[in-house]
Amino acid sequence: VSRGLGDVYKIQLLAFIVRELADMRTYQALARRAPSAAARALGAMAADERRHAKRLSTAYFLISGVRFWPEQRAAAAAQGALLGALRARFVEEQRGEAAYLAAADATADPCLRELYRDLAGDESAHAWQLRTILEGL
């Protein structure tokens, strides 16, 4: 990876890592507010988001030689009614899928392309899981 291109990838990866960790905290907060079956699904989604951040952090390390893992902040406050917050998450998962697909299309790095496409699939699956949760409430 050329230096200039590597810098672009590093900036992009940092943003994705921070976003995934914020998503993790949001799902943890929503799980505390949801009925038990929905809470389990939301807790599993929080764990998925953490795994996404770890995978992205590993890619960042491979490109930069620096291990990046931001400090844990307080849990994100899931604002509004539970149904509205779940709807907002559905929209964010769709946006996340689109962002990863765009990043995959824009990268010349085959490993990053595969990672981004894999994560896009997970984001799509999360949107469908949220839809299923909403149908059950």
Side-chain angles (χ1 to χ4, degrees), residues 52-72:
H52 294 171
K54 291 293 275 185
R55 293 181 70 193
L56 291 160
S57 180
T58 299
Y60 182 83
F61 175 73
L62 291 171
I63 290 171
S64 69
V66 175
R67 189 76 174 170
F68 175 76
W69 192 257
E71 287 185 32
Q72 290 286 5

mmCIF file of all heavy atoms in Angstrom, residues 52-72:
data_model
loop_
_atom_site.group_PDB
_atom_site.id
_atom_site.type_symbol
_atom_site.label_atom_id
_atom_site.label_comp_id
_atom_site.label_asym_id
_atom_site.label_seq_id
_atom_site.Cartn_x
_atom_site.Cartn_y
_atom_site.Cartn_z
ATOM 1 N N HIS A 52 -16.729 -6.511 15.101
ATOM 2 C CA HIS A 52 -16.435 -5.685 13.922
ATOM 3 C C HIS A 52 -15.308 -4.711 14.241
ATOM 4 O O HIS A 52 -14.364 -4.562 13.448
ATOM 5 C CB HIS A 52 -17.668 -4.881 13.492
ATOM 6 C CG HIS A 52 -18.801 -5.699 13.001
ATOM 7 N ND1 HIS A 52 -20.041 -5.151 12.756
ATOM 8 C CD2 HIS A 52 -18.909 -7.018 12.713
ATOM 9 C CE1 HIS A 52 -20.855 -6.099 12.332
ATOM 10 N NE2 HIS A 52 -20.191 -7.242 12.308
ATOM 11 N N ALA A 53 -15.413 -4.041 15.388
ATOM 12 C CA ALA A 53 -14.377 -3.076 15.774
ATOM 13 C C ALA A 53 -13.023 -3.768 15.915
ATOM 14 O O ALA A 53 -11.995 -3.221 15.501
ATOM 15 C CB ALA A 53 -14.764 -2.370 17.073
ATOM 16 N N LYS A 54 -12.990 -4.966 16.481
ATOM 17 C CA LYS A 54 -11.729 -5.705 16.627
ATOM 18 C C LYS A 54 -11.141 -6.064 15.263
ATOM 19 O O LYS A 54 -9.933 -5.953 15.057
ATOM 20 C CB LYS A 54 -11.940 -6.980 17.455
ATOM 21 C CG LYS A 54 -12.255 -6.737 18.919
ATOM 22 C CD LYS A 54 -11.100 -6.150 19.668
ATOM 23 C CE LYS A 54 -10.172 -7.225 20.139
ATOM 24 N NZ LYS A 54 -9.094 -6.711 20.972
ATOM 25 N N ARG A 55 -11.981 -6.487 14.341
ATOM 26 C CA ARG A 55 -11.493 -6.834 13.000
ATOM 27 C C ARG A 55 -10.932 -5.601 12.297
ATOM 28 O O ARG A 55 -9.887 -5.662 11.651
ATOM 29 C CB ARG A 55 -12.622 -7.459 12.177
ATOM 30 C CG ARG A 55 -13.058 -8.826 12.712
ATOM 31 C CD ARG A 55 -14.146 -9.424 11.890
ATOM 32 N NE ARG A 55 -13.592 -9.822 10.589
ATOM 33 C CZ ARG A 55 -14.344 -10.149 9.548
ATOM 34 N NH1 ARG A 55 -15.664 -10.131 9.627
ATOM 35 N NH2 ARG A 55 -13.772 -10.481 8.405
ATOM 36 N N LEU A 56 -11.637 -4.480 12.429
ATOM 37 C CA LEU A 56 -11.171 -3.231 11.819
ATOM 38 C C LEU A 56 -9.878 -2.766 12.480
ATOM 39 O O LEU A 56 -8.969 -2.267 11.815
ATOM 40 C CB LEU A 56 -12.255 -2.162 11.932
ATOM 41 C CG LEU A 56 -13.500 -2.410 11.078
ATOM 42 C CD1 LEU A 56 -14.683 -1.620 11.605
ATOM 43 C CD2 LEU A 56 -13.222 -2.093 9.619
ATOM 44 N N SER A 57 -9.787 -2.931 13.802
ATOM 45 C CA SER A 57 -8.580 -2.548 14.525
ATOM 46 C C SER A 57 -7.382 -3.380 14.065
ATOM 47 O O SER A 57 -6.268 -2.864 13.937
ATOM 48 C CB SER A 57 -8.800 -2.714 16.035
ATOM 49 O OG SER A 57 -7.654 -2.355 16.750
ATOM 50 N N THR A 58 -7.620 -4.644 13.791
ATOM 51 C CA THR A 58 -6.553 -5.499 13.284
ATOM 52 C C THR A 58 -6.105 -5.031 11.901
ATOM 53 O O THR A 58 -4.900 -4.969 11.614
ATOM 54 C CB THR A 58 -7.012 -6.969 13.237
ATOM 55 O OG1 THR A 58 -7.340 -7.380 14.577
ATOM 56 C CG2 THR A 58 -5.942 -7.880 12.666
ATOM 57 N N ALA A 59 -7.056 -4.683 11.053
ATOM 58 C CA ALA A 59 -6.703 -4.162 9.726
ATOM 59 C C ALA A 59 -5.898 -2.871 9.870
ATOM 60 O O ALA A 59 -4.903 -2.670 9.155
ATOM 61 C CB ALA A 59 -7.967 -3.914 8.898
ATOM 62 N N TYR A 60 -6.287 -2.022 10.814
ATOM 63 C CA TYR A 60 -5.550 -0.771 11.045
ATOM 64 C C TYR A 60 -4.112 -1.079 11.462
ATOM 65 O O TYR A 60 -3.166 -0.465 10.980
ATOM 66 C CB TYR A 60 -6.258 0.062 12.113
ATOM 67 C CG TYR A 60 -5.587 1.385 12.355
ATOM 68 C CD1 TYR A 60 -5.843 2.472 11.530
ATOM 69 C CD2 TYR A 60 -4.678 1.555 13.405
ATOM 70 C CE1 TYR A 60 -5.218 3.688 11.737
ATOM 71 C CE2 TYR A 60 -4.046 2.762 13.608
ATOM 72 C CZ TYR A 60 -4.319 3.828 12.776
ATOM 73 O OH TYR A 60 -3.693 5.030 12.973
ATOM 74 N N PHE A 61 -3.952 -2.050 12.341
ATOM 75 C CA PHE A 61 -2.613 -2.442 12.791
ATOM 76 C C PHE A 61 -1.769 -2.956 11.625
ATOM 77 O O PHE A 61 -0.592 -2.620 11.495
ATOM 78 C CB PHE A 61 -2.698 -3.497 13.891
ATOM 79 C CG PHE A 61 -1.363 -4.029 14.303
ATOM 80 C CD1 PHE A 61 -0.501 -3.262 15.061
ATOM 81 C CD2 PHE A 61 -0.950 -5.284 13.907
ATOM 82 C CE1 PHE A 61 0.751 -3.739 15.431
ATOM 83 C CE2 PHE A 61 0.296 -5.781 14.266
ATOM 84 C CZ PHE A 61 1.149 -5.000 15.030
ATOM 85 N N LEU A 62 -2.365 -3.777 10.776
ATOM 86 C CA LEU A 62 -1.621 -4.333 9.647
ATOM 87 C C LEU A 62 -1.160 -3.244 8.684
ATOM 88 O O LEU A 62 -0.083 -3.346 8.095
ATOM 89 C CB LEU A 62 -2.469 -5.378 8.920
ATOM 90 C CG LEU A 62 -2.721 -6.655 9.712
ATOM 91 C CD1 LEU A 62 -3.735 -7.530 8.997
ATOM 92 C CD2 LEU A 62 -1.422 -7.408 9.960
ATOM 93 N N ILE A 63 -1.945 -2.184 8.535
ATOM 94 C CA ILE A 63 -1.592 -1.092 7.629
ATOM 95 C C ILE A 63 -0.626 -0.110 8.278
ATOM 96 O O ILE A 63 0.326 0.344 7.654
ATOM 97 C CB ILE A 63 -2.864 -0.366 7.141
ATOM 98 C CG1 ILE A 63 -3.635 -1.283 6.187
ATOM 99 C CG2 ILE A 63 -2.524 0.962 6.461
ATOM 100 C CD1 ILE A 63 -5.004 -0.772 5.810
ATOM 101 N N SER A 64 -0.853 0.195 9.571
ATOM 102 C CA SER A 64 -0.097 1.274 10.220
ATOM 103 C C SER A 64 1.021 0.801 11.134
ATOM 104 O O SER A 64 1.942 1.566 11.426
ATOM 105 C CB SER A 64 -1.054 2.134 11.054
ATOM 106 O OG SER A 64 -1.517 1.394 12.182
ATOM 107 N N GLY A 65 0.912 -0.417 11.658
ATOM 108 C CA GLY A 65 1.861 -0.887 12.662
ATOM 109 C C GLY A 65 1.525 -0.390 14.055
ATOM 110 O O GLY A 65 2.259 -0.627 14.999
ATOM 111 N N VAL A 66 0.388 0.288 14.193
ATOM 112 C CA VAL A 66 -0.050 0.848 15.473
ATOM 113 C C VAL A 66 -1.365 0.183 15.863
ATOM 114 O O VAL A 66 -2.284 0.081 15.056
ATOM 115 C CB VAL A 66 -0.258 2.382 15.366
ATOM 116 C CG1 VAL A 66 -0.821 2.956 16.656
ATOM 117 C CG2 VAL A 66 1.041 3.063 14.974
ATOM 118 N N ARG A 67 -1.423 -0.253 17.120
ATOM 119 C CA ARG A 67 -2.655 -0.863 17.635
ATOM 120 C C ARG A 67 -3.574 0.256 18.104
ATOM 121 O O ARG A 67 -3.191 1.059 18.943
ATOM 122 C CB ARG A 67 -2.317 -1.800 18.790
ATOM 123 C CG ARG A 67 -3.452 -2.623 19.253
ATOM 124 C CD ARG A 67 -3.701 -3.747 18.287
ATOM 125 N NE ARG A 67 -4.719 -4.606 18.852
ATOM 126 C CZ ARG A 67 -5.288 -5.564 18.181
ATOM 127 N NH1 ARG A 67 -4.936 -5.799 16.952
ATOM 128 N NH2 ARG A 67 -6.210 -6.290 18.728
ATOM 129 N N PHE A 68 -4.789 0.338 17.552
ATOM 130 C CA PHE A 68 -5.751 1.372 17.930
ATOM 131 C C PHE A 68 -6.966 0.727 18.555
ATOM 132 O O PHE A 68 -7.635 -0.101 17.944
ATOM 133 C CB PHE A 68 -6.170 2.203 16.713
ATOM 134 C CG PHE A 68 -7.252 3.211 17.028
ATOM 135 C CD1 PHE A 68 -6.932 4.378 17.708
ATOM 136 C CD2 PHE A 68 -8.567 2.991 16.665
ATOM 137 C CE1 PHE A 68 -7.918 5.313 18.015
ATOM 138 C CE2 PHE A 68 -9.557 3.911 16.966
ATOM 139 C CZ PHE A 68 -9.228 5.073 17.639
ATOM 140 N N TRP A 69 -7.229 1.105 19.793
ATOM 141 C CA TRP A 69 -8.442 0.682 20.490
ATOM 142 C C TRP A 69 -8.795 1.806 21.455
ATOM 143 O O TRP A 69 -8.144 1.976 22.482
ATOM 144 C CB TRP A 69 -8.231 -0.634 21.232
ATOM 145 C CG TRP A 69 -9.521 -1.221 21.706
ATOM 146 C CD1 TRP A 69 -10.019 -1.212 22.976
ATOM 147 C CD2 TRP A 69 -10.501 -1.894 20.908
ATOM 148 N NE1 TRP A 69 -11.232 -1.829 23.023
ATOM 149 C CE2 TRP A 69 -11.556 -2.262 21.759
ATOM 150 C CE3 TRP A 69 -10.592 -2.205 19.558
ATOM 151 C CZ2 TRP A 69 -12.686 -2.947 21.293
ATOM 152 C CZ3 TRP A 69 -11.719 -2.879 19.105
ATOM 153 C CH2 TRP A 69 -12.748 -3.248 19.974
ATOM 154 N N PRO A 70 -9.807 2.607 21.122
ATOM 155 C CA PRO A 70 -10.125 3.767 21.962
ATOM 156 C C PRO A 70 -10.624 3.350 23.339
ATOM 157 O O PRO A 70 -11.149 2.255 23.518
ATOM 158 C CB PRO A 70 -11.206 4.499 21.180
ATOM 159 C CG PRO A 70 -11.743 3.514 20.210
ATOM 160 C CD PRO A 70 -10.688 2.470 19.987
ATOM 161 N N GLU A 71 -10.445 4.263 24.282
ATOM 162 C CA GLU A 71 -10.955 4.023 25.638
ATOM 163 C C GLU A 71 -12.459 3.870 25.592
ATOM 164 O O GLU A 71 -13.128 4.525 24.813
ATOM 165 C CB GLU A 71 -10.621 5.211 26.546
ATOM 166 C CG GLU A 71 -9.172 5.300 26.938
ATOM 167 C CD GLU A 71 -8.951 6.433 27.931
ATOM 168 O OE1 GLU A 71 -9.868 6.720 28.736
ATOM 169 O OE2 GLU A 71 -7.871 7.019 27.874
ATOM 170 N N GLN A 72 -12.957 3.005 26.475
ATOM 171 C CA GLN A 72 -14.402 2.846 26.570
ATOM 172 C C GLN A 72 -14.994 4.093 27.212
ATOM 173 O O GLN A 72 -14.519 4.562 28.228
ATOM 174 C CB GLN A 72 -14.756 1.614 27.412
ATOM 175 C CG GLN A 72 -14.434 0.328 26.732
ATOM 176 C CD GLN A 72 -15.407 -0.007 25.606
ATOM 177 O OE1 GLN A 72 -16.292 0.756 25.252
ATOM 178 N NE2 GLN A 72 -15.214 -1.165 25.026
#
